[in-house]
Each structure stands twice: as structure tokens, then as C-alpha cells.
Amino acid sequence: MQSSKKISLAVIRRLPRYYRYLDDLLKKDINKTSSGDLSELMGITASQIRQDLSNFGSFGQQGYGYNVENLLSEIKKILNVDKIYKLVIVGIGNIGNAITSYIMEQYVGIELVALFDNNENVIGTTVYGLKVKNVNLLSEFIRQNNIEIAALTIPEKYANDIAKIAVDAGVEGIWNFCPTDLEVPSEIMVENVNLSDGLMILSFRINNQKTSNN
Amino acid sequence: MQSSKKISLAVIRRLPRYYRYLDDLLKKDINKTSSGDLSELMGITASQIRQDLSNFGSFGQQGYGYNVENLLSEIKKILNVDKIYKLVIVGIGNIGNAITSYIMEQYVGIELVALFDNNENVIGTTVYGLKVKNVNLLSEFIRQNNIEIAALTIPEKYANDIAKIAVDAGVEGIWNFCPTDLEVPSEIMVENVNLSDGLMILSFRINNQKTSNN
């Protein structure tokens, strides 16, 4: 993983898309592609694609293009898809349920180990074979099971308290669905999934598009 | 909205965060702030903040800083928060339910007009006062009610078909929760919320962080 250190986060953020497209191609038994083909599929310029892929030492061959399987395997290595991370989810409401079913049904690279909630009506119920635990047990559970990632799908007002508990207990990353910026040490990785931000930006872009057309 | 055309999407994507922070300040009756204060709160450099805010003609006064209310009102105008967009949600599973409750309970700027599904067990049930309709009625409903945004919270395999129906019927934006890039005309705005991408990037960043520390 030495080489990946220099890859910018902007490029990294595009890699899951490459991963999906290449995975689709492979599933269709297409094992050869080019920056031109990928460009058309993905709506990114061919030169951007060549630049992105050259970042991790993958060069298409003139007149042949890229070998899909090799490219996919390199991207998997960089994204570290083969490493299994241990995840707990805190907050088993609609979003907690949604990501539980998503991870259990189709996500590779994550072991969903436990679910937590503070609601007595939810604690003890079973979701995808996991019995929901009392959030009071969160800290101890993370410590004892070397949990690496906590997903927070809880009301905003609890976000920083729960984040602190999870971080103090040893998680290295937080997948944050609360509409707030968490106050955690800089070595803790946070990925925010902010529903309202996306909707605000969508409204802005629609309006802007209309204005530009006038 | 003339001035907003030149603002880059990168800046726009930071505006909802400014919006949240300023809104918080105002709720605490704090009506004066500075790029330094905001920098500390938001973890963005003060010079980046001054640069961002100058984009829409908002200049802090030397020795005073920014007036929170004015700044918030400018950001609201740019984000077009006061315009109410009409939204329908297609797919009333966990994620559909989650965003329904989210919009109904706390989001301003969106009127959630109808919910659609293709599952007979779901059609006819009531969620937040809205009776779930058969997805066969989607096209007609969008046309008759001038719906502007469709949220797609459906299995990936239906994504492009439903997107096409919604776009042909007249929506201007799609809030896409399916892990696929939609094939829609370029004038249709799409905001993707991709769960797997965020989790992949989080795994990568945790691994990268570990490697850098060794």
C-alpha cells in the first residue's frame, strides 16, 4: 500500500465508481476496455480517466486498452476491499435498518458485528440475526471485539457523545449519518452521509440550471 | 441569482455546512462571527472561509467580522432554501421511510407530495399521512402535479427505467440512492447518495492512515 499514499482524496473518491463499472464489465464477460469506452460509460473525459488510472501505475496499452480483471484487482487492492473491517451500527431506526440490510445482503469488506440502540422497544429485537444491544454496552463491546468502524444513525443531539464513546473505546473510523460535523481527533476518519446537504445542493442546482437557461 | 452562476460547485457543496453553523449561532442568539471563529467551529482555514464567502459578495468588516443574520440570509438565497420544490419518493422500503420521516419532520424547502412503490403489500399503506401509490401512476402524477424532484430509493435494477419515466414526465432533478450512475440528459440534475462508495472510501482512509503511521 506504499504507493497509495500519494493518491489524492479526489481520485480516491472516484475509485468506487471505476470499481462498479469494471465489476459490471467483468460480470458481462467483457475483459478489455479503453479510456474511451470508460469515458462514454462514466461521463468522465478520457484524459481524466488515463490520469486517474496512471496514479496507481496502471497504464493502458496503445491499441489494446486496459485489461478489466487486472484493473479491477488493482483498484480492489487500493480500496482495500479484501480487508474485512468490523462494524457496529448505533441507532436502529429506518436508516440503521436500511444500512443493516444493505451490508448483510450485498456489501463485501465489512463484517457487521453488532447493533445498538437506547430504545427499550428496540433493544432485544432481532435484525438480520443480530439481537439489538443496549447502547450502554457500546464502549465495552468495541474494546472487547476490536471494532474498527462505528456507523452513527442516531438523532443529532446524541451524535458527539456517542462518537466520543466509540472513539475512546478504539474505533478508527466513523460512518456518520447525523447532520452534524463530529468533533473527533484528526486521526479518526469520518465519512459523512448528510441527507439534507444533498437535497439542498440539488435544489440549488435545479434553480441554477433554470436561471442559466433564461 | 445572477451572481451565483459563477460560484463553483466545490464552494456550493460547502454552503450547507455554513448554513448549519450559522443557523446554530443564530439559534444561540449570536449575531456576530468572524472567519477565525468559523474556522475553529468548522475546521476549515480562515482564509478559505473568507474566500468562500467573498464569492457571493459577503465581506466581513475589519474588526467586526460577519453579521450572522445577513450572512445566513445570503446563503439561503443562494441555496434557494425559500423556494419550495415538489418531491415524490419512489420506493418505500427502509431508506424511503427514513427520508420520508426526515423530510416531514425537519426539512424546509421541500414539499413531499406523494410516495410510490411496486409492492402490493406496501401500496395503500399510509406513511406520514401519505397513502403509498402504485408506481404505474408515477408518470401521470408527475405530469399533473408539476413534480420537480424524484427521489429513487429502489433496487438498482429498476433505477434507470424509473429515472427515464420520471424525466420523461418532467422532473428536473433526481435524488438518487441507487448505487448506479443514472443515464439521464445532462440538463437533469442528479445528486447521488451512494452508501457503498462512502463505506469503501472510509475503509481506504482507515487503512491509509494506519500505513502512514507505520
Side-chain angles (χ1 to χ4, degrees):
Chain A
M1 291 297 298
Q2 296 293 329
S3 63
S4 66
K5 277 190 226 172
K6 293 169 205 155
I7 304 179
S8 77
L9 196 57
V11 176
I12 294 300
R13 290 195 179 281
R14 282 194 288 274
L15 287 187
R17 288 189 67 209
Y18 286 108
Y19 176 85
R20 274 186 275 128
Y21 276 100
L22 293 166
D23 198 44
D24 278 354
L25 289 177
L26 206 62
K27 278 178 189 151
K28 290 176 190 153
D29 277 329
I30 299 170
N31 201 23
K32 206 177 112 174
T33 190
S34 66
S35 53
D37 291 348
L38 285 173
S39 166
E40 207 160 303
L41 274 173
M42 298 177 63
I44 304 180
T45 66
S47 82
Q48 175 78 72
I49 288 172
R50 285 193 295 273
Q51 201 184 316
D52 282 354
L53 300 185
S54 73
N55 263 297
F56 47 97
S58 186
F59 299 97
Q61 283 179 284
Q62 195 89 37
Y64 176 85
Y66 298 93
N67 176 295
V68 174
E69 204 170 350
N70 294 352
L71 200 49
L72 192 62
S73 124
E74 287 183 60
I75 291 177
K76 274 185 178 176
K77 256 185 258 162
I78 292 178
L79 285 176
N80 209 27
V81 174
D82 295 333
K83 160 89 173 84
I84 308 290
Y85 282 96
K86 289 189 193 173
L87 172 81
V88 295
I89 300 177
V90 188
I92 309 304
N94 283 315
I95 296 180
N97 271 292
I99 65 173
T100 298
S101 75
Y102 173 72
I103 291 168
M104 288 303 203
E105 283 176 12
Q106 43 177 308
Y107 196 82
V108 282
I110 289 289
E111 183 192 354
L112 177 50
V113 184
L115 311 176
F116 294 88
D117 207 292
N118 69 349
N119 181 333
E120 282 182 16
N121 297 324
V122 177
I123 295 167
T125 61
T126 301
V127 182
Y128 277 81
L130 295 174
K131 197 169 262 190
V132 180
K133 297 177 195 297
N134 190 314
V135 73
N136 293 338
L137 305 171
L138 180 65
S139 174
E140 197 188 338
F141 189 90
I142 289 174
R143 276 178 221 278
Q144 290 185 343
N145 296 277
N146 299 312
I147 300 300
E148 288 146 319
I149 304 177
L152 304 190
T153 52
I154 53 183
E156 186 179 351
K157 61 183 171 182
Y158 303 127
N160 270 303
D161 290 346
I162 297 294
K164 188 172 185 333
I165 290 170
V167 167
D168 288 348
V171 301
E172 297 167 55
I174 294 182
W175 196 20
N176 175 38
F177 288 76
C178 307
T180 191
D181 293 301
L182 299 177
E183 293 151 19
V184 296
S186 62
E187 69 271 22
I188 304 299
M189 299 295 122
V190 177
E191 274 292 315
N192 294 307
V193 183
N194 194 313
L195 297 181
S196 65
D197 286 6
L199 197 49
M200 270 192 195
I201 291 163
L202 186 57
S203 300
F204 165 80
R205 291 173 61 207
I206 290 174
N207 184 69
N208 213 38
Q209 168 81 6
K210 280 184 186 172
T211 318
S212 320
N213 287 345
N214 290 341
Chain B
M1 291 298 299
Q2 295 294 329
S3 64
S4 67
K5 277 190 227 174
K6 293 168 203 155
I7 304 179
S8 77
L9 197 56
V11 177
I12 294 300
R13 289 194 180 283
R14 282 194 288 275
L15 286 188
R17 288 189 66 210
Y18 286 108
Y19 176 84
R20 273 187 278 128
Y21 277 100
L22 294 166
D23 198 44
D24 277 355
L25 289 178
L26 205 61
K27 279 177 189 151
K28 289 176 191 153
D29 278 330
I30 299 170
N31 202 22
K32 207 177 112 173
T33 191
S34 66
S35 52
D37 291 347
L38 285 172
S39 167
E40 207 160 305
L41 275 173
M42 298 177 61
I44 304 179
T45 65
S47 82
Q48 175 77 74
I49 288 172
R50 285 192 296 271
Q51 201 184 317
D52 282 354
L53 300 186
S54 72
N55 263 297
F56 47 98
S58 186
F59 299 98
Q61 284 179 282
Q62 196 90 37
Y64 175 85
Y66 298 93
N67 177 293
V68 173
E69 203 169 350
N70 294 351
L71 200 49
L72 191 64
S73 127
E74 286 183 59
I75 291 177
K76 275 185 178 175
K77 257 186 257 163
I78 291 178
L79 285 175
N80 209 27
V81 174
D82 294 332
K83 159 90 172 85
I84 307 291
Y85 282 96
K86 288 189 193 174
L87 173 81
V88 295
I89 300 177
V90 188
I92 308 304
N94 282 316
I95 297 181
N97 271 292
I99 64 173
T100 298
S101 76
Y102 173 71
I103 292 168
M104 290 300 204
E105 283 176 12
Q106 43 178 307
Y107 196 83
V108 281
I110 289 289
E111 183 192 355
L112 177 51
V113 183
L115 310 176
F116 294 88
D117 207 292
N118 69 349
N119 181 333
E120 282 181 17
N121 296 324
V122 177
I123 295 166
T125 60
T126 300
V127 182
Y128 277 82
L130 295 173
K131 199 170 261 190
V132 180
K133 297 177 195 298
N134 191 314
V135 72
N136 294 338
L137 305 172
L138 180 65
S139 174
E140 197 187 339
F141 189 91
I142 289 173
R143 277 178 220 278
Q144 290 185 344
N145 296 277
N146 300 311
I147 299 300
E148 289 146 317
I149 305 178
L152 304 190
T153 52
I154 53 183
E156 186 180 349
K157 60 183 171 183
Y158 302 126
N160 270 304
D161 291 346
I162 297 293
K164 188 171 184 335
I165 289 170
V167 167
D168 288 349
V171 300
E172 296 167 57
I174 294 182
W175 196 22
N176 175 38
F177 288 76
C178 306
T180 190
D181 293 300
L182 299 177
E183 293 151 20
V184 296
S186 62
E187 69 270 21
I188 304 299
M189 300 295 122
V190 178
E191 274 294 313
N192 294 306
V193 182
N194 193 313
L195 296 182
S196 65
D197 286 6
L199 198 49
M200 271 192 194
I201 290 162
L202 186 57
S203 300
F204 166 80
R205 289 173 62 206
I206 289 174
N207 183 69
N208 213 36
Q209 168 82 5
K210 280 185 186 170
T211 319
S212 320
N213 287 343
N214 290 343

